[in-house]
Amino acid sequence: MLGELCSSQIMAHAFIGGAIVSVVAGSVGYFLVLRAQAFVAEAFTDIGFAGATGAALLGVGSLVGMIVFSLLAAAGLGMLGKRVRGRDVEVGMVLSFALGLGVLFLSIYSRTSGSHAMSGINILFGSMLTINSTDILAALATCATALGALAILYRPLLFASVDPAGAEARGVPMRALSAAFLAIVALTTAACVLLVGILLTASLLIAPAAAAVNLTNRPARAIALSVAAAVGVTWVGLILTFAGTIRHLPAGFYISALAALTYTASLLLRKRLRPVRAFERAHLDRETG
Amino acid sequence: MSPESVNRRQLPVFLRNVRIGFGGRLIQDEMTFTIEDGEFIAVLGPNGAGKTTLLKLLLGLIRPEAGEVLVFGRRPSRGNPKIGYAPQFRTLDANFAVRARDLVGFGLDGHRWGPGFPSRKRRRLVDAALEEVRASEYAEAAVGELSGGEKQRLSLAQVLIANPGLVLLDEPLANLDIASALEIVSLVGGLCASRKVAVMLVTHDINPLLQHVDRVVYMANARSAIGAPETVITRETLSSLYNHPVEVVEAMGKKFVLGVET
Ligand SMILES: Nc1ncnc2c1ncn2[C@@H]1O[C@H](COP(=O)(O)OP(=O)(O)OP(=O)(O)O)[C@@H](O)[C@H]1O
Ligand SMILES: [Mg+2]
């Protein structure tokens, strides 16, 4: 059966594309969780929605539209200052405005083109099953850019996310760093929307990373876990989509459900895994003999 | 200029007639003093006296309104690798996502670009810094499960691992009980002597430091005095700083300043 799955061109594309996107989502998501910016990720998906629908109106590729819109929004949010944490009001306003724009574009589009809201549905729930090799190349380029930029920023970004005062004292350019990270988030969400759609992108970005942070206190290990969880969730989700009896359920449903499940499992595991501090353990050993 | 004064300009801290203010509001005026290699200085004064501002001046985060500021013979500049700074308010976000050793490692290369790869040398340096502040036993613990005093040690280790010549510690003793405060102070005092680093430590209570500091800078009312504790923390000096009568009482080997609203 697995052979049958892989023989299909569509599925091969979906699995490759899904893996590419998940690797970036897992890595970028780790920093979103550290910086408590899940809401920012949510906002970027709505901005991406406006970009994609706008692009459909203009007859441009949706990935291009999403990237342009998200990068503009990243620049705008970046100008708010080095502290995006706690900027709920501004982010919320950008989010609802973008969503409104997206709805406007979509209604114009479905009225003029007559193709109804089908492409809109793709944007909402993902279009992994209709993805072609051009899309994959575009996603690959986007993801490679985001991942490369993240690798360059890795150390200062980690420092600034965990210990902002210390990082600033050490001369880390906080404002520029924050803006650059938002640009990375913009690229990442745009690529994710292709796969799972705007409604569920945040779950792929946040849940695997949050689960990983629950399970380890080592940054490199957490990123590896987060990436593994994101890829796992995506692939299992795709397998269920193709093989499931209810074939018409969108991949996004399975992926977001699995992501939530992973997070819940991590909460249950956390209590067992959270290591007792070594010297406390030494005391315990002494007491229990 | 005499050769001697040229030399003094190369010291860790050289201030001459420095005035600091914010938008017309005077914070400090006429600050003139130097700090030498390996000196341990306590910075004292009521809330709002400008203690943190003085450290920020040396870090190049603010500019003086007048006067001359030199750090190791140069005008202050941001991200000066010769200065180690532990800020007054350190919020450690995502507390459970990093270990004590990660926090210390940030001081070594957290500001560098690129992912950075683990190496034996890096591990040795981090271990040594943890050892130096006696934090080895919780090296692998998540930062979120450590006490205030333990975090202060990590803060210190993060600063020291970069091998600075001047260390600025903004209220490292806040929220510590007296025993922990004494431990941190003797740790810092030992480092001053062994590494020849100059230390400026901001504090509200001089008593844990009395045995260790070389001199104190006392700031109040836009003015300051510097000297040995027994010459600065006196009725005469403080009364003239505060511009009203202040009493200094000594009991059980400790000094208590009375008549100030801090
Ligand atoms: N960026 C700024 N803009 C305007 N005023 C400032 C600024 N930074 C500090 N001040 C003012 O300068 C004065 C000195 O502040 P500073 O933080 O140096 O005090 P401090 O001596 O460290 O006090 P504390 O003991 O409370 O930490 C305060 O009155 C403060 O309001
Ligand atoms: Mg202060």
Side-chain angles (χ1 to χ4, degrees), chain A residues 174-200:
Chain A
M174 304 293 277
R175 195 180 266 262
L177 193 63
S178 195
F181 179 63
L182 284 178
I184 292 175
V185 176
L187 291 179
T188 308
T189 46
C192 284
V193 166
L194 270 189
L195 171 64
V196 289
I198 62 150
L199 292 181
L200 305 163

Side-chain angles (χ1 to χ4, degrees), chain B residues 20-23 25-28 43-56 61-62 88-89 170-171 202-204 219 262:
Chain B
I20 319 170
F22 288 108
R25 198 168 130 241
L26 186 66
I27 306 294
Q28 275 289 320
V43 181
L44 291 160
N47 290 130
K51 305 182 293 296
T52 299
T53 307
L54 171 62
L55 302 192
K56 288 192 171 157
L61 298 176
I62 57 166
Q88 182 172 7
F89 302 106
D170 203 347
E171 309 227 11
V202 176
T203 179
H204 276 281
M219 304 168 74
T262 46

Side-chain angles (χ1 to χ4, degrees), chain B residues 66-84:
Chain B
E68 190 177 17
V69 182
L70 295 175
V71 175
F72 293 106
R74 288 157 174 261
R75 300 266 298 276
S77 62
R78 281 163 192 255
N80 185 344
K82 285 196 152 182
I83 305 183

Side-chain angles (χ1 to χ4, degrees), chain A residues 152 155-156 162-163 170 277, chain B residues 90 93 107 112-114 145:
Chain A
I152 292 170
R155 277 184 290 182
V162 174
D163 178 10
R170 202 74 173 82
R277 269 152 63 179
Chain B
R90 190 185 283 267
D93 297 321
R112 298 243 166 85
W113 303 109
E145 39 187 294

Side-chain angles (χ1 to χ4, degrees), chain B residues 44-221:
Chain B
L44 291 160
N47 290 130
K51 305 182 293 296
T52 299
T53 307
L54 171 62
L55 302 192
K56 288 192 171 157
L57 183 78
L58 299 175
L59 286 163
L61 298 176
I62 57 166
R63 300 251 156 258
E65 288 192 339
E68 190 177 17
V69 182
L70 295 175
V71 175
F72 293 106
R74 288 157 174 261
R75 300 266 298 276
S77 62
R78 281 163 192 255
N80 185 344
K82 285 196 152 182
I83 305 183
Y85 170 55
Q88 182 172 7
F89 302 106
R90 190 185 283 267
T91 46
L92 293 173
D93 297 321
N95 260 331
F96 286 93
V98 292
R99 298 164 295 167
R101 69 162 54 254
D102 297 316
L103 204 61
V104 174
F106 286 153
L108 191 62
D109 54 15
H111 61 296
R112 298 243 166 85
W113 303 109
F117 294 100
S119 71
R120 212 169 284 155
K121 178 167 173 250
R122 184 176 190 278
R123 198 179 165 83
R124 244 199 340 266
L125 286 171
V126 172
D127 283 339
L130 284 162
E131 184 66 48
E132 199 164 19
V133 300
R134 295 186 213 113
S136 305
E137 60 179 4
Y138 43 86
E140 308 295 326
V143 173
E145 39 187 294
L146 300 178
S147 76
E150 290 167 341
K151 279 183 219 165
Q152 281 300 351
R153 284 164 193 251
L154 297 182
S155 218
L156 199 57
Q158 191 192 74
V159 163
L160 292 172
I161 199 171
N163 215 357
L166 171 64
V167 168
L168 310 176
L169 306 172
D170 203 347
E171 309 227 11
L173 310 181
N175 303 320
L176 296 192
D177 60 33
I178 186 73
S180 314
L182 282 170
E183 277 183 54
I184 296 277
V185 168
S186 67
L187 215 69
V188 174
L191 295 170
C192 268
S194 65
R195 289 185 168 215
K196 279 279 161 211
V197 284
V199 174
M200 293 176 78
L201 188 154
V202 176
T203 179
H204 276 281
D205 182 10
I206 184 65
N207 285 313
L209 290 128
L210 274 179
Q211 309 303 318
H212 295 275
V213 289
D214 298 307
R215 289 187 294 163
V216 301
V217 175
Y218 205 111
M219 304 168 74
N221 255 345

